[in-house]
Amino acid sequence: MKAFVLVLALCALGLPRLALAEAAFAVAPTEVTDWKTVYGQIAAKDMIPARARLGGTLVSLSVTEGDLVAAGQELGKVVDAKIAFQINAIDAQIAALESQLANARADLTRGEALKARGVMTAQAYDALRTQVSVLTQQIEAQRPRGR
């Protein structure tokens, strides 16, 4: 049994060396691509992004790539359905204020006649003029510039 174990030990030590000696292994340098995640943003140095002040959908574009534009020039049209509701609400407020202004002007006209006859006090007449002035300014405040 000792002889059998001795033979196995010699085989265990000698066989791997024989297997390594028989097969030739060549080592050569190779390039391996090493991909890495990089986050960034690419931006052109001679262009700036265009932004709309309001959210919505771009429905028309007046310029093309490469066109020269001037400050304040319309580049496109952005439409938002919610804006129409807001405009209608403001128009309704203006109409209500204009109706109140018509009444206030009629009261002021009557007040002028009453004051001329000495029936109305100067304080009441001034209150009517102030009401006309306030309503006029409220209407102007509701109207957007350029409208």
Side-chain angles (χ1 to χ4, degrees):
M1 172 97 171
K2 284 186 183 183
F4 181 68
V5 173
L6 182 60
V7 171
L8 282 176
L10 288 175
C11 286
L13 292 175
L15 285 177
R17 289 187 184 151
L18 289 175
L20 288 176
E22 289 179 18
F25 185 74
V27 177
T30 49
E31 288 188 25
V32 176
T33 304
D34 187 19
W35 295 99
K36 294 186 178 169
T37 304
V38 178
Y39 298 98
Q41 184 177 11
I42 298 172
K45 67 177 184 173
D46 58 349
M47 290 192 287
I48 58 171
R51 294 186 182 100
R53 292 182 187 177
L54 305 170
T57 305
L58 181 67
V59 293
S60 70
L61 191 60
S62 306
V63 294
T64 60
E65 185 176 348
D67 288 350
L68 292 177
V69 295
Q73 177 182 346
E74 182 178 299
L75 305 178
K77 186 175 180 182
V78 176
V79 175
D80 186 5
K82 294 179 281 188
I83 292 176
F85 295 124
Q86 293 173 352
I87 290 173
N88 290 339
I90 291 171
D91 287 343
Q93 289 175 354
I94 291 173
L97 289 171
E98 285 174 344
S99 176
Q100 291 174 11
L101 179 61
N103 286 339
R105 283 186 177 150
D107 289 344
L108 182 62
T109 304
R110 281 191 295 273
E112 287 172 352
L114 292 173
K115 186 175 182 239
R117 288 189 292 163
V119 178
M120 178 178 269
T121 64
Q123 181 182 8
Y125 178 73
D126 288 342
L128 292 175
R129 276 193 329 189
T130 302
Q131 183 67 22
V132 169
S133 176
V134 166
L135 288 170
T136 303
Q137 291 173 5
Q138 284 179 346
I139 290 170
E140 289 304 314
Q142 289 293 327
R143 287 198 174 117
R145 292 183 180 100
R147 190 169 168 196

